Amino acid sequence: MTPPPSADRRLYRIPDAMRLLSLSRSLIYELIRSGRLRSVRQGRTRLIPASAIDDYIRLLEKEARKAS
């Protein structure tokens, strides 16, 4: 089992990003494919930068404000 993400981590594996964003694996990969969530590869591992998670949350907040 993966330890809980800490505040000083800079890169997250997909399962960690799933927990942080409360999203399913398939939705995380769809967001990556669509360009709404940035990711990087290290060897065969797909990693989500902490800044990409913050950017995605800001994007959701911006879209929510526009919809109001």
Side-chain angles (χ1 to χ4, degrees), residues 3-39:
S6 66
D8 60 345
R9 284 182 63 182
R10 309 246 331 198
L11 293 169
Y12 295 95
R13 293 179 180 269
I14 297 297
D16 297 326
M18 289 168 54
R19 280 189 286 282
L20 285 170
L21 294 170
S22 300
L23 299 174
S24 69
R25 176 180 292 274
S26 59
L27 188 50
I28 292 284
Y29 279 107
E30 176 57 34
L31 291 169
I32 292 169
R33 275 191 296 277
S34 70
R36 290 174 58 91
L37 181 63
R38 290 180 291 108
S39 69

